[in-house]
Amino acid sequence: MPARPRIGFVSLGCPKNLVDSEVMMGLLHHAGAELTPRAEDADIIVVNTCSFIDSAKQESVNTILEMANHKTANGGRAQKLIVAGCLVERYRDEIRKNIPDVDAVLGTGELDAILAAAGMQPVGTAGTSPFTILSGTTNQQVSEPASQQDAALIDRASSAVRKHSQIEVPEQTSRPEGDLREKQGRFNREAWDGATAELPSYLYSDETPRILTTPRASAYIKIAEGCDHPCGFCIIPQLRGKFRSRRISSIVNEAENLLRQGVREITLIGQDTTCYGEDLGLKDGLAMLLEALATLEVPGVGPIHWLRFLYAYPNKVTTRLLDTIAAHDNVAKYLDVPLQHASALTLKRMKRGGSGAIFLRMLEKARAIVPGIAIRTSFIVGFPGETDEEFAALEDFVKAAKIDWLGVFSYSDEEGAAAFDLGAKVPKRTIEARRRRLMRTQMKISAKARAAQVGRVIEVLVEGPSEETELLWQGRTMQQAPEIDGHVLINDFGDHEDLVPGTFYRAEITEAHDYDVVARIVD
């Protein structure tokens, strides 16, 4: 193995998994590794997997097998293949047994073991915190940013960690709900072949080396890890462990570092961001964190231009949280709140609670406190026992709620989830028909909402050439989250000969489609 091995990464799944990949890349880069975007040039390949639903598991397995073809034993260059992430938590022994080309496996709580797995030694920071930002690729390929010469390595005094702390909090403990559900067996993994008895507990900080693979102006910050909720369709608590929050001071310092490196849009993520701080004894912790970040001013740089959070839990959307969103111009008027269903009976079987009527009141309140707020949600169709009447209640809710951005997922039967043992499974053909029907309903709602935007002047963060055609460029408004919502397609640069990716412009919407709008730059 070379003294400075070349390492290629494939990161699959959600933005939370992407941050894990960025942390592992940062640890390896800080220890002297060179990162490469080409699997055929890598001495070591790392695949960070997803295991949320069947399709994600299959994609992970297929990717592992594809990367195994690059090993020396198979005629390639790579000497090691490391598999990390959620699939390892679920199938640790099976991966080792069935894919002998895999040299090491790391679960979601073992990110700091990536150095040992790669055969590298950690480098001491001696009181400083290196923070590397390399901008550029997507999370669906062997990834390293395209322009490594633009990297900036930051050494920062560790005392800065306490500089912004205005809030005294007790030592980290856990949420009472999590403790109760642990006693009830919510996190039990005994039936999982090779799963470690100890739940994942890792939590990165602002002092953890990290490499950004998102576009230079945008970044995610993971504010918490794990989940305590009892949702019957989900195995994330077993995969990720109990809910645990980072300190406000650590998050603020990371945001400051990002701002100094040119990031202007920060998206806060976690399995449930609205539980943030409860394990630290904070009430309305997310609102407190938003307040701290919205008012952050970095000398010579300024504030965060766009700030949003994803993954809210419906019964945690408090008045104070909504007031905080409304109070700050740089906090996106945007609420991502996965509702999963609208039938009270289905929600009860899902172990989530709530109903369509309750959710409509929540949305009405959000729109009253935050005028013009964009709502994003997701639903699962075909949950065991879902009747025609229950699906009809969901469709009626979608028509009444007029959601801005909507995702619909087909139920996936996951061994280890409570719903796996439920009877009355819905046929796959019925599930797919319901998914298509709900998306057709939403498409009409979305098209009407987009048409109403024609003529408006908006602020756009330009991302670059369109993913669909080189004839157009694309960007997003504050009310469009990265990767998951629609785009602003730009067909007229106005007085600009060229546009600069990562720059904010003003644009007029001239045309509308089902999910996207077309605009011309006006300033």
Side-chain angles (χ1 to χ4, degrees):
M1 187 72 68
R4 192 182 182 206
R6 288 185 170 187
I7 301 181
F9 259 79
V10 185
S11 188
L12 304 172
C14 65
K16 298 178 286 290
N17 219 38
L18 179 62
V19 172
D20 289 349
S21 294
E22 292 176 342
V23 166
M24 288 188 284
M25 292 171 72
L27 291 167
L28 289 163
H29 186 269
H30 185 61
E34 179 182 348
L35 297 167
T36 175
R38 293 168 51 86
E40 56 267 32
D41 294 339
D43 301 303
I44 300 171
I45 296 175
V46 182
V47 181
N48 193 15
T49 60
C50 179
S51 185
F52 183 51
I53 56 177
D54 278 341
S55 59
K57 287 187 284 190
Q58 190 59 56
E59 181 186 24
S60 293
V61 171
N62 291 344
T63 302
I64 294 168
L65 296 175
E66 179 186 351
M67 292 301 111
N69 291 330
H70 293 283
K71 291 197 67 178
T72 53
N74 300 321
R77 171 187 173 122
Q79 299 178 45
K80 283 188 176 183
L81 175 59
I82 301 170
V83 176
C86 291
L87 195 73
V88 173
E89 291 292 346
R90 180 65 182 85
Y91 300 104
R92 185 180 297 258
D93 282 0
E94 291 185 40
I95 293 170
R96 289 167 165 163
K97 177 182 177 181
N98 296 322
I99 313 179
D101 282 315
V102 173
D103 298 285
V105 292
L106 303 174
T108 61
E110 302 170 298
L111 304 188
D112 51 353
I114 187 64
L115 294 180
M120 302 185 68
Q121 297 295 320
V123 177
T125 59
T128 62
S129 173
F131 194 95
T132 305
I133 299 181
L134 305 172
S135 63
T137 60
T138 69
N139 64 331
Q140 296 297 328
Q141 56 193 325
V142 174
S143 61
E144 183 207 4
S147 56
Q148 188 162 348
Q149 69 269 22
D150 292 336
L153 192 64
I154 304 170
D155 290 329
R156 185 173 42 76
S158 60
S159 60
V161 172
R162 291 171 289 276
K163 181 171 61 175
H164 296 290
S165 182
Q166 303 287 328
I167 302 161
E168 294 295 328
V169 297
E171 289 302 309
Q172 180 168 330
T173 55
S174 58
R175 298 175 67 241
E177 292 91 336
D179 296 336
L180 173 62
R181 285 168 188 149
E182 185 173 25
K183 293 177 182 177
Q184 295 171 340
R186 178 65 177 107
F187 305 95
N188 189 294
R189 315 191 308 174
E190 291 178 359
W192 289 6
D193 187 21
T196 58
E198 186 176 352
L199 286 170
S201 60
Y202 181 83
L203 197 61
Y204 87 101
S205 77
D206 62 304
E207 295 198 340
T208 307
R210 179 183 168 197
I211 285 178
L212 296 188
T213 58
T214 47
R216 181 171 294 275
S218 303
Y220 296 105
I221 294 181
K222 190 189 291 190
I223 64 173
E225 182 59 279
C227 182
D228 297 336
H229 292 305
C231 307
F233 52 81
C234 185
I235 59 172
I236 286 177
Q238 295 103 303
L239 296 173
R240 293 278 174 176
K242 296 174 70 175
F243 183 87
R244 50 203 185 274
S245 303
R246 291 175 58 190
R247 300 296 175 129
I248 286 181
S249 55
S250 174
I251 297 167
V252 171
N253 281 323
E254 183 175 11
E256 182 175 321
N257 289 336
L258 292 169
L259 286 171
R260 291 187 187 282
Q261 294 308 304
V263 170
R264 292 296 174 264
E265 175 191 40
I266 291 178
T267 301
L268 308 179
I269 57 175
Q271 301 302 333
D272 174 4
T273 53
T274 43
C275 276
Y276 173 77
E278 290 183 9
D279 54 319
L280 303 177
L282 300 178
K283 181 179 172 61
D284 274 313
L286 179 58
M288 297 168 67
L289 176 61
L290 286 175
E291 182 76 30
L293 291 171
T295 57
L296 173 65
E297 285 271 356
V298 176
V301 177
I304 300 169
H305 196 78
W306 286 357
L307 173 64
R308 74 169 61 78
F309 62 92
L310 303 180
Y311 312 115
Y313 203 77
N315 66 0
K316 298 284 184 179
V317 179
T318 64
T319 300
R320 180 174 175 184
L321 177 60
L322 295 171
D323 284 340
T324 305
I325 295 171
H328 299 282
D329 290 341
N330 59 345
V331 177
K333 310 316 176 213
Y334 182 99
L335 181 63
D336 172 44
V337 53
L339 299 175
Q340 309 302 3
H341 214 279
S343 163
L345 293 174
T346 309
L347 288 163
K348 183 177 181 180
R349 289 197 305 278
M350 286 180 168
K351 297 187 177 181
R352 284 182 64 88
S355 68
I358 291 173
F359 295 158
L360 284 175
R361 288 196 293 271
M362 182 266 290
L363 296 179
E364 182 182 3
K365 177 180 177 180
R367 287 164 170 156
I369 295 176
V370 190
I373 191 170
I375 305 294
R376 176 176 182 83
T377 194
S378 57
F379 295 117
I380 296 172
V381 293
F383 189 80
E386 183 188 59
T387 64
D388 290 340
E389 291 76 17
E390 290 170 2
F391 175 74
L394 174 57
E395 188 173 23
D396 289 343
F397 174 85
V398 170
K399 293 175 180 176
K402 293 182 171 54
I403 302 296
D404 295 278
W405 308 113
L406 175 63
V408 182
F409 297 92
S410 299
Y411 171 75
S412 177
D413 215 16
E414 296 301 315
E415 188 175 359
F420 186 79
D421 297 322
L422 292 179
K425 303 293 187 188
V426 180
K428 289 185 178 180
R429 184 174 180 178
T430 301
I431 292 175
E432 183 58 24
R434 289 174 178 174
R435 188 192 68 80
R436 289 196 302 266
R437 180 182 177 93
L438 205 59
M439 286 309 299
R440 285 197 299 268
T441 299
Q442 173 61 22
M443 185 172 66
K444 296 175 184 176
I445 296 169
S446 177
K448 186 175 181 179
R450 302 290 85 76
Q453 294 178 330
V454 173
R456 292 184 187 176
V457 175
I458 54 174
E459 184 179 47
V460 177
L461 173 60
V462 169
E463 296 177 316
S466 169
E467 297 168 355
E468 299 179 3
T469 172
E470 294 181 356
L471 300 176
L472 300 173
W473 275 45
Q474 72 180 38
R476 291 180 292 106
T477 71
M478 182 186 265
Q479 295 183 316
Q480 294 169 315
E483 300 182 358
I484 56 175
D485 296 331
H487 287 103
V488 177
L489 302 175
I490 302 166
N491 64 356
D492 185 345
F493 288 8
D495 294 334
H496 300 272
E497 184 174 340
D498 293 300
L499 300 182
V500 180
T503 302
F504 294 90
Y505 296 87
R506 292 183 65 76
E508 180 186 6
I509 297 174
T510 58
E511 187 179 335
H513 298 288
D514 292 337
Y515 298 107
D516 301 326
V517 295
V518 178
R520 65 179 184 90
I521 300 298
V522 296
D523 186 16

